[in-house]
Amino acid sequence: NGYFPNASRIAYHSGLQYYNMPYANTPYNELLDDMKRYKVDYYLHFYGTEVSAQNFVPKDANGNDLEELFKGRFEGLKVFKMAY
């Protein structure tokens, strides 16, 4: 989506690692496996106006909700702390 270029620039200039799936509609278990492999600390979920995207809560490998940071602070973005 349109947020990718901005997010990758922010990560680069902040000295932070950035990981993005190279293809759309990635199975969630593959995403979790790759995030663990690359030691990703945070899951950034960009969303539009649709309610289903706003209510999205990712799960860890055990099915537990990931902790959301900055709840409601950034419109169009949710940040989750990864748990392995």
Side-chain angles (χ1 to χ4, degrees):
N1 64 29
Y3 295 108
F4 173 73
N6 294 331
S8 61
R9 282 188 200 108
I10 290 168
Y12 176 80
H13 291 290
S14 301
L16 301 171
Q17 291 182 344
Y18 183 83
Y19 177 79
N20 184 56
M21 290 304 289
Y23 54 92
N25 300 321
T26 303
Y28 191 68
N29 62 324
E30 285 184 30
L31 176 64
L32 286 178
D33 290 345
D34 279 358
M35 291 178 81
K36 185 175 182 178
R37 179 181 314 119
Y38 295 111
K39 299 180 174 113
V40 174
D41 294 323
Y42 302 97
Y43 182 109
L44 277 61
H45 176 70
F46 296 99
Y47 63 89
T49 57
E50 60 277 1
V51 174
S52 61
Q54 293 175 22
N55 293 330
F56 174 76
V57 179
K59 310 276 185 193
D60 65 16
N62 297 319
N64 300 311
D65 291 354
L66 294 179
E67 176 188 2
E68 183 179 353
L69 308 174
F70 316 111
K71 291 183 181 179
R73 198 161 170 198
F74 304 108
E75 185 176 336
L77 171 67
K78 288 185 169 197
V79 180
F80 298 91
K81 175 75 174 142
M82 294 303 298
Y84 300 110

